[in-house]
Amino acid sequence: VRRSAAPSRITIRTVAVAAGLVASAVHSIVDFVWFIPACMSLTLLLVACLINLSRLSRTSPSALSRQVGGLESSTLSRLCWVGAGCVGLVATGWMLSALSGPALASIHYDRYLLASKASTQLELRQIASQKEETASDTQTHDMVLHDMVRQLQKVVQLYPDSARAQLRLANQHLKQFERLQQQNDNAMTRGQIRDAAMASGFTSSQEMQEWLSRAFGSNIEHLYRAYRHTMQALRLNPLQGPAYLNLAALCFLEGKKAEDIEAYLEQSLLVRPQDCDVLFEVGRQYLLLGQQDKVSRYWTKAFRNRGKHQLRIVQWMAGNISATDFIENFQPNWDTLGVLWKRYRKVGQKTDLYVLTNYAASIAMDESKGKPQRTQIHIWLTLGKMHSHLNENDHALASIKHAYQAAPNSYLVRRALSRALLTASQFHTAEPHLRWCLARQPNDQSVHADLLLANKEILARTRTATKSTIIGN
């Protein structure tokens, strides 16, 4: 019995360790957590225990019994316990001092991420609507940006070795500068300031700083802070592509020349060759430098992938080139055609709208095939609005009928179809769709009005047809 006691203990312990490893593995299949140091450390400890148990299981029963019994009966000397305790206290103190800052900083970084998400939504909504930012929107956006800077400053204060936080703080200072400059009497952009500073031929950085302070006041401090945080971010992690883009925009503060700008741009591409945000910014910098061929190269590559950079490219290019050239260079799909249409409606020519509508119609069928119902509705209704704006009512009705085929029980589609049928004077066909809509939205006064109009027209046409029949007889 005594001989079998030790192996049975090993078996029990092996089962316990294996259960822990299985739980960790199953958890990581659906929610990978091994990148978290605490989770990975526990997994490694369990693996070490399993290896040691495997080694013990290969030992002879008598030897194993002696080893286990010896381990259980032996005690460390008091001196060893004191030494181990001191080592543990030192290690604990070091860990607390090293990790308390990052732990506290993570709270503020999470708050920054929430504010950043809100800021991105405000920015994309404004780009998509193609409307000027209202005073209320400006105030809201300024408050969000101020909160982002405040949270990042706390992160950097608690965890100065965070390269990610340093770079994001630099980016926020750049945004702050741009927004303050929009309200300044001397409303020059960063690119214009850089070009003016390089063309002025200052003999020293001090001389340039005095000129910048006189011209732009306290706003210029945001550029210097952005430069310092960018340099710190690169010292901590030189593989951050966007940081080199910041240096390309700000290196004039240290008296650098145009060739240095291009060197920084190329370096950003070396470390982040597939990053669409980097590709967009590199293209924008080359646009400011007047090198159009490079702009097309990088923006065309970036535009193939979804993201907010697509909307920014639309905002920069639509209206500055014809719709024909835009389509030829970028081959837009239905992810961006709606925004592109709105942009050309605002700043383009009417011929651009015809070109875009014809292009949208040519790809609508292929892009909607096999897509979710919501996507099909978006494609066909948007195309219908394009045709309606150009008074191509027959084409608009055909597009909306495609949407009806894809989603016959969608209120949005049936309402759009009823309007298109009324515009086409197909009152008999529109009437059942209007009744269907009224049954689902009985308080919609516009449906009541359209149904009344349809019934009046149907009645009038019936009377006319009856009179014609009587006269004919």
Short mmCIF file of all heavy atoms in Angstrom, two decimals, residues 145-146 149 153 169-181 190 216-230 250 253:
data_model
loop_
_atom_site.label_atom_id
_atom_site.label_comp_id
_atom_site.label_asym_id
_atom_site.label_seq_id
_atom_site.Cartn_x
_atom_site.Cartn_y
_atom_site.Cartn_z
N LEU A 145 -11.42 66.33 -27.99
CA LEU A 145 -9.96 66.38 -28.22
C LEU A 145 -9.22 66.82 -26.95
O LEU A 145 -8.14 66.29 -26.65
CB LEU A 145 -9.65 67.35 -29.36
CG LEU A 145 -10.06 66.88 -30.77
CD1 LEU A 145 -9.77 67.98 -31.80
CD2 LEU A 145 -9.32 65.61 -31.16
N HIS A 146 -9.78 67.76 -26.23
CA HIS A 146 -9.15 68.21 -24.98
C HIS A 146 -9.09 67.06 -23.98
O HIS A 146 -8.07 66.88 -23.29
CB HIS A 146 -9.94 69.38 -24.40
CG HIS A 146 -9.40 69.88 -23.09
ND1 HIS A 146 -8.22 70.60 -22.99
CD2 HIS A 146 -9.86 69.73 -21.81
CE1 HIS A 146 -8.00 70.88 -21.72
NE2 HIS A 146 -8.97 70.36 -20.99
N VAL A 149 -6.26 64.63 -24.96
CA VAL A 149 -4.94 65.14 -24.56
C VAL A 149 -4.74 64.99 -23.06
O VAL A 149 -3.67 64.56 -22.60
CB VAL A 149 -4.80 66.62 -24.98
CG1 VAL A 149 -3.52 67.22 -24.40
CG2 VAL A 149 -4.78 66.74 -26.50
N GLN A 153 -1.81 62.72 -21.39
CA GLN A 153 -0.80 63.34 -20.53
C GLN A 153 -0.66 62.59 -19.22
O GLN A 153 0.45 62.42 -18.70
CB GLN A 153 -1.18 64.81 -20.28
CG GLN A 153 -0.93 65.71 -21.49
CD GLN A 153 -1.43 67.12 -21.26
OE1 GLN A 153 -2.31 67.37 -20.43
NE2 GLN A 153 -0.89 68.06 -22.01
N LEU A 169 0.01 61.07 -28.14
CA LEU A 169 -0.01 62.42 -27.58
C LEU A 169 0.55 63.43 -28.58
O LEU A 169 0.03 64.54 -28.72
CB LEU A 169 0.77 62.46 -26.27
CG LEU A 169 0.78 63.80 -25.52
CD1 LEU A 169 -0.63 64.30 -25.26
CD2 LEU A 169 1.55 63.67 -24.21
N ALA A 170 1.59 63.04 -29.29
CA ALA A 170 2.14 63.91 -30.35
C ALA A 170 1.08 64.18 -31.41
O ALA A 170 0.91 65.33 -31.86
CB ALA A 170 3.37 63.26 -30.97
N ASN A 171 0.36 63.15 -31.81
CA ASN A 171 -0.68 63.32 -32.83
C ASN A 171 -1.79 64.24 -32.36
O ASN A 171 -2.33 65.05 -33.13
CB ASN A 171 -1.27 61.96 -33.21
CG ASN A 171 -0.28 61.07 -33.93
OD1 ASN A 171 0.69 61.55 -34.52
ND2 ASN A 171 -0.49 59.76 -33.87
N GLN A 172 -2.13 64.16 -31.08
CA GLN A 172 -3.19 65.02 -30.55
C GLN A 172 -2.75 66.48 -30.50
O GLN A 172 -3.55 67.39 -30.74
CB GLN A 172 -3.62 64.55 -29.15
CG GLN A 172 -4.33 63.21 -29.16
CD GLN A 172 -5.45 63.15 -30.16
OE1 GLN A 172 -6.30 64.05 -30.21
NE2 GLN A 172 -5.46 62.11 -30.98
N HIS A 173 -1.48 66.71 -30.21
CA HIS A 173 -0.98 68.09 -30.25
C HIS A 173 -1.04 68.64 -31.68
O HIS A 173 -1.34 69.83 -31.88
CB HIS A 173 0.44 68.15 -29.71
CG HIS A 173 0.51 68.19 -28.21
ND1 HIS A 173 -0.04 69.21 -27.46
CD2 HIS A 173 1.08 67.32 -27.31
CE1 HIS A 173 0.19 68.98 -26.18
NE2 HIS A 173 0.85 67.84 -26.05
N LEU A 174 -0.77 67.81 -32.66
CA LEU A 174 -0.88 68.26 -34.05
C LEU A 174 -2.32 68.61 -34.40
O LEU A 174 -2.58 69.62 -35.07
CB LEU A 174 -0.37 67.16 -35.00
CG LEU A 174 1.14 66.89 -34.97
CD1 LEU A 174 1.48 65.72 -35.88
CD2 LEU A 174 1.91 68.13 -35.39
N LYS A 175 -3.27 67.80 -33.94
CA LYS A 175 -4.68 68.09 -34.19
C LYS A 175 -5.10 69.38 -33.48
O LYS A 175 -5.86 70.19 -34.04
CB LYS A 175 -5.55 66.93 -33.73
CG LYS A 175 -5.50 65.72 -34.64
CD LYS A 175 -6.49 64.66 -34.18
CE LYS A 175 -6.47 63.46 -35.11
NZ LYS A 175 -7.45 62.41 -34.70
N GLN A 176 -4.63 69.54 -32.27
CA GLN A 176 -4.95 70.76 -31.53
C GLN A 176 -4.45 71.99 -32.26
O GLN A 176 -5.14 73.00 -32.36
CB GLN A 176 -4.33 70.69 -30.12
CG GLN A 176 -4.97 69.68 -29.18
CD GLN A 176 -6.20 70.25 -28.50
OE1 GLN A 176 -7.14 70.68 -29.15
NE2 GLN A 176 -6.21 70.23 -27.17
N PHE A 177 -3.25 71.88 -32.80
CA PHE A 177 -2.68 73.02 -33.53
C PHE A 177 -3.53 73.34 -34.76
O PHE A 177 -3.82 74.51 -35.04
CB PHE A 177 -1.24 72.70 -33.95
CG PHE A 177 -0.62 73.79 -34.79
CD1 PHE A 177 -0.13 74.94 -34.21
CD2 PHE A 177 -0.54 73.65 -36.17
CE1 PHE A 177 0.43 75.95 -34.97
CE2 PHE A 177 0.02 74.65 -36.95
CZ PHE A 177 0.51 75.80 -36.35
N GLU A 178 -3.91 72.31 -35.52
CA GLU A 178 -4.70 72.53 -36.74
C GLU A 178 -6.03 73.19 -36.41
O GLU A 178 -6.47 74.11 -37.11
CB GLU A 178 -4.94 71.20 -37.46
CG GLU A 178 -3.70 70.58 -38.07
CD GLU A 178 -3.25 71.30 -39.32
OE1 GLU A 178 -3.86 72.32 -39.70
OE2 GLU A 178 -2.26 70.85 -39.94
N ARG A 179 -6.68 72.75 -35.36
CA ARG A 179 -7.99 73.33 -35.02
C ARG A 179 -7.84 74.76 -34.50
O ARG A 179 -8.68 75.61 -34.80
CB ARG A 179 -8.70 72.45 -33.99
CG ARG A 179 -9.09 71.08 -34.55
CD ARG A 179 -9.93 70.30 -33.56
NE ARG A 179 -11.26 70.85 -33.43
CZ ARG A 179 -12.28 70.59 -34.25
NH1 ARG A 179 -12.10 69.79 -35.28
NH2 ARG A 179 -13.47 71.12 -34.04
N LEU A 180 -6.80 75.01 -33.74
CA LEU A 180 -6.58 76.39 -33.28
C LEU A 180 -6.24 77.31 -34.44
O LEU A 180 -6.66 78.47 -34.47
CB LEU A 180 -5.45 76.41 -32.24
CG LEU A 180 -5.79 75.80 -30.87
CD1 LEU A 180 -4.54 75.69 -30.01
CD2 LEU A 180 -6.86 76.63 -30.16
N GLN A 181 -5.50 76.78 -35.41
CA GLN A 181 -5.14 77.59 -36.58
C GLN A 181 -6.36 77.95 -37.42
O GLN A 181 -6.38 79.01 -38.07
CB GLN A 181 -4.12 76.85 -37.45
CG GLN A 181 -2.69 76.99 -36.97
CD GLN A 181 -2.23 78.45 -37.01
OE1 GLN A 181 -2.15 79.12 -35.97
NE2 GLN A 181 -1.97 78.95 -38.20
N ARG A 190 -0.04 73.35 -41.39
CA ARG A 190 1.32 72.90 -41.08
C ARG A 190 2.19 72.87 -42.33
O ARG A 190 3.36 73.25 -42.29
CB ARG A 190 1.28 71.52 -40.44
CG ARG A 190 0.90 71.51 -38.98
CD ARG A 190 0.99 70.11 -38.42
NE ARG A 190 -0.11 69.27 -38.84
CZ ARG A 190 0.03 68.06 -39.35
NH1 ARG A 190 1.22 67.55 -39.54
NH2 ARG A 190 -1.03 67.35 -39.70
N PHE A 216 2.47 83.09 -34.99
CA PHE A 216 1.37 82.21 -34.62
C PHE A 216 1.10 82.17 -33.13
O PHE A 216 0.23 81.41 -32.68
CB PHE A 216 1.66 80.79 -35.13
CG PHE A 216 1.97 80.75 -36.59
CD1 PHE A 216 3.28 80.61 -37.04
CD2 PHE A 216 0.96 80.88 -37.54
CE1 PHE A 216 3.57 80.59 -38.38
CE2 PHE A 216 1.24 80.86 -38.89
CZ PHE A 216 2.55 80.72 -39.31
N GLY A 217 1.83 82.94 -32.35
CA GLY A 217 1.56 83.04 -30.93
C GLY A 217 1.79 81.74 -30.19
O GLY A 217 2.65 80.92 -30.54
N SER A 218 0.98 81.51 -29.17
CA SER A 218 1.15 80.33 -28.31
C SER A 218 0.76 79.03 -29.01
O SER A 218 1.09 77.95 -28.54
CB SER A 218 0.33 80.49 -27.03
OG SER A 218 -1.04 80.65 -27.34
N ASN A 219 0.05 79.14 -30.13
CA ASN A 219 -0.35 77.92 -30.85
C ASN A 219 0.85 77.08 -31.26
O ASN A 219 0.77 75.86 -31.32
CB ASN A 219 -1.16 78.28 -32.11
CG ASN A 219 -2.51 78.87 -31.77
OD1 ASN A 219 -2.90 78.92 -30.60
ND2 ASN A 219 -3.23 79.32 -32.77
N ILE A 220 1.95 77.75 -31.56
CA ILE A 220 3.12 77.04 -32.09
C ILE A 220 3.71 76.08 -31.07
O ILE A 220 4.42 75.12 -31.43
CB ILE A 220 4.19 78.05 -32.56
CG1 ILE A 220 5.06 77.44 -33.65
CG2 ILE A 220 5.03 78.54 -31.40
CD1 ILE A 220 4.34 77.13 -34.92
N GLU A 221 3.40 76.28 -29.78
CA GLU A 221 3.92 75.39 -28.74
C GLU A 221 3.42 73.96 -28.95
O GLU A 221 4.11 73.00 -28.61
CB GLU A 221 3.50 75.90 -27.36
CG GLU A 221 4.02 75.06 -26.19
CD GLU A 221 5.55 74.99 -26.14
OE1 GLU A 221 6.20 75.95 -26.62
OE2 GLU A 221 6.06 73.99 -25.63
N HIS A 222 2.24 73.81 -29.55
CA HIS A 222 1.72 72.47 -29.83
C HIS A 222 2.62 71.73 -30.82
O HIS A 222 2.80 70.51 -30.71
CB HIS A 222 0.30 72.55 -30.37
CG HIS A 222 -0.72 72.88 -29.34
ND1 HIS A 222 -1.11 71.98 -28.37
CD2 HIS A 222 -1.43 74.02 -29.12
CE1 HIS A 222 -2.03 72.54 -27.59
NE2 HIS A 222 -2.25 73.77 -28.02
N LEU A 223 3.19 72.43 -31.78
CA LEU A 223 4.09 71.78 -32.73
C LEU A 223 5.37 71.32 -32.05
O LEU A 223 5.86 70.21 -32.32
CB LEU A 223 4.43 72.74 -33.88
CG LEU A 223 3.30 73.11 -34.84
CD1 LEU A 223 3.85 73.91 -36.01
CD2 LEU A 223 2.58 71.87 -35.34
N TYR A 224 5.91 72.13 -31.18
CA TYR A 224 7.14 71.73 -30.48
C TYR A 224 6.88 70.56 -29.53
O TYR A 224 7.72 69.65 -29.41
CB TYR A 224 7.71 72.92 -29.71
CG TYR A 224 8.48 73.88 -30.60
CD1 TYR A 224 7.89 75.04 -31.08
CD2 TYR A 224 9.79 73.60 -30.99
CE1 TYR A 224 8.59 75.91 -31.91
CE2 TYR A 224 10.49 74.46 -31.82
CZ TYR A 224 9.89 75.60 -32.27
OH TYR A 224 10.59 76.46 -33.11
N ARG A 225 5.73 70.57 -28.86
CA ARG A 225 5.40 69.43 -28.00
C ARG A 225 5.23 68.16 -28.84
O ARG A 225 5.67 67.08 -28.44
CB ARG A 225 4.13 69.72 -27.22
CG ARG A 225 4.30 70.78 -26.14
CD ARG A 225 2.99 71.05 -25.43
NE ARG A 225 3.14 72.10 -24.42
CZ ARG A 225 2.13 72.58 -23.70
NH1 ARG A 225 0.91 72.10 -23.88
NH2 ARG A 225 2.36 73.53 -22.82
N ALA A 226 4.58 68.30 -29.98
CA ALA A 226 4.40 67.14 -30.86
C ALA A 226 5.75 66.60 -31.32
O ALA A 226 5.96 65.38 -31.37
CB ALA A 226 3.55 67.54 -32.07
N TYR A 227 6.68 67.49 -31.61
CA TYR A 227 8.00 67.06 -32.05
C TYR A 227 8.74 66.32 -30.94
O TYR A 227 9.33 65.26 -31.16
CB TYR A 227 8.81 68.27 -32.50
CG TYR A 227 10.18 67.93 -33.07
CD1 TYR A 227 10.31 67.46 -34.37
CD2 TYR A 227 11.33 68.06 -32.30
CE1 TYR A 227 11.56 67.14 -34.90
CE2 TYR A 227 12.57 67.74 -32.81
CZ TYR A 227 12.68 67.29 -34.11
OH TYR A 227 13.91 66.97 -34.62
N ARG A 228 8.67 66.85 -29.71
CA ARG A 228 9.37 66.22 -28.59
C ARG A 228 8.78 64.83 -28.28
O ARG A 228 9.53 63.87 -28.06
CB ARG A 228 9.30 67.12 -27.35
CG ARG A 228 10.14 68.39 -27.46
CD ARG A 228 10.30 69.04 -26.10
NE ARG A 228 9.03 69.55 -25.58
CZ ARG A 228 8.57 70.77 -25.80
NH1 ARG A 228 9.28 71.63 -26.53
NH2 ARG A 228 7.43 71.18 -25.28
N HIS A 229 7.47 64.73 -28.27
CA HIS A 229 6.84 63.43 -27.98
C HIS A 229 7.10 62.43 -29.10
O HIS A 229 7.25 61.23 -28.84
CB HIS A 229 5.34 63.61 -27.76
CG HIS A 229 4.99 64.25 -26.44
ND1 HIS A 229 5.26 63.64 -25.23
CD2 HIS A 229 4.41 65.44 -26.15
CE1 HIS A 229 4.85 64.42 -24.24
NE2 HIS A 229 4.33 65.52 -24.77
N THR A 230 7.18 62.91 -30.33
CA THR A 230 7.49 62.01 -31.45
C THR A 230 8.91 61.47 -31.32
O THR A 230 9.14 60.26 -31.52
CB THR A 230 7.33 62.75 -32.79
OG1 THR A 230 5.97 63.19 -32.93
CG2 THR A 230 7.69 61.84 -33.95
N LEU A 250 7.40 67.93 -39.21
CA LEU A 250 7.90 68.83 -38.17
C LEU A 250 9.41 69.04 -38.19
O LEU A 250 9.93 69.83 -37.40
CB LEU A 250 7.51 68.30 -36.79
CG LEU A 250 6.01 68.16 -36.52
CD1 LEU A 250 5.78 67.44 -35.20
CD2 LEU A 250 5.34 69.53 -36.49
N LEU A 253 11.37 72.37 -37.83
CA LEU A 253 11.62 73.05 -36.55
C LEU A 253 13.08 72.96 -36.15
O LEU A 253 13.58 73.79 -35.38
CB LEU A 253 10.74 72.43 -35.46
CG LEU A 253 9.23 72.58 -35.63
CD1 LEU A 253 8.50 71.77 -34.56
CD2 LEU A 253 8.81 74.04 -35.59
#
